[in-house]
Amino acid sequence: VVPVAERSGLMFELTQAIFRIAMNQLSQWCGLGYRWKVSCNFSVSDLTEPSVVSVLDDALTATSVPAELVILEVTESKLPEDVASVMSSLTRMRLKGCGISIEDFGTGFSSMEQLRRFPFTELKIDRAFVNGAHAKPSAKASFESSVDLARRLGMSSVAEGVEDEADLALCRALGVDLIQGYYIARPMFPEAVVEWARVRGH
């Protein structure tokens, strides 16, 4: 779907539709007493749209979702050299209270200057440096460095691709803030999430 939307110039429309669905679902969970954070992907092209902040604001207002429960993800490899093209949108979104995440960290070429200038609050480390890293010295070194970098920059660290006990143990040893992967849970329909959390006492 995404490649078709990109080729046809409909990516922003697709992003808007998905974001509204996500906010409606988050509103339902909030109504049940769950204040879970939800992450939504925004492409660089989305962030250059003049109305992108209004779209976000309208969705939050319509659903009464607190902005601090929303994290906007931007893929590292897609970051432009000219940061000014998306800086305004991300900064305005951050000022509204949303978190800003750099996704798949390690797959692109972000400079320290870029990380410092963008209002990122979260660094998501790509699964290539997480899954099986306990047995791969180079991946483990990159993983550890990324976690340390996030900590030094005052950002939360998120490990993608945690798929077994060894992955989880390494994340704990390195002090990773959040983990994501099949070892925690497989993708599931929204209605199954509440039951999944209830069974685990959340």
Side-chain angles (χ1 to χ4, degrees), residues 1 5 12-13 19 35 48 59 66 68 73-75 107 128 145 158 176 188-189:
V1 175
F12 187 47
E13 284 71 14
F19 185 71
R35 291 180 62 83
T48 61
E68 60 267 24
E73 296 187 354
V74 184
T75 303
T107 61
S145 296
V158 182
V176 173
M188 64 184 78
F189 289 107

Side-chain angles (χ1 to χ4, degrees), residues 19 23 26-27 29-31 34-38 56 59-61 63-71 96-99:
F19 185 71
M23 293 305 98
L26 181 52
S27 178
W29 285 332
C30 287
Y34 296 102
R35 291 180 62 83
W36 293 325
K37 291 188 177 183
V38 170
L56 177 141
L60 294 180
T61 300
T63 57
S64 299
V65 166
E68 60 267 24
L69 297 183
V70 180
I71 299 174
K96 289 182 179 295
C98 297

Side-chain angles (χ1 to χ4, degrees), residues 62-138:
T63 57
S64 299
V65 166
E68 60 267 24
L69 297 183
V70 180
I71 299 174
L72 309 174
E73 296 187 354
V74 184
T75 303
E76 184 200 10
S77 60
K78 302 296 184 181
L79 286 176
E81 289 295 325
D82 178 15
V83 297
S85 62
V86 297
M87 180 68 75
S88 176
S89 293
L90 289 178
T91 300
R92 290 165 64 196
M93 290 171 166
R94 180 70 190 114
L95 287 172
K96 289 182 179 295
C98 297
I100 309 292
S101 177
I102 178 169
E103 188 183 26
D104 296 340
F105 185 76
T107 61
F109 301 96
S110 292
S111 65
M112 184 66 73
E113 180 65 11
Q114 275 188 313
L115 291 179
R116 187 187 67 79
R117 291 178 65 190
F118 277 107
F120 292 122
T121 59
E122 180 181 279
L123 188 151
K124 294 189 73 173
I125 304 161
D126 188 75
R127 71 183 313 279
F129 305 103
V130 177
N131 183 235
H134 61 280
K136 304 172 186 174
S138 60

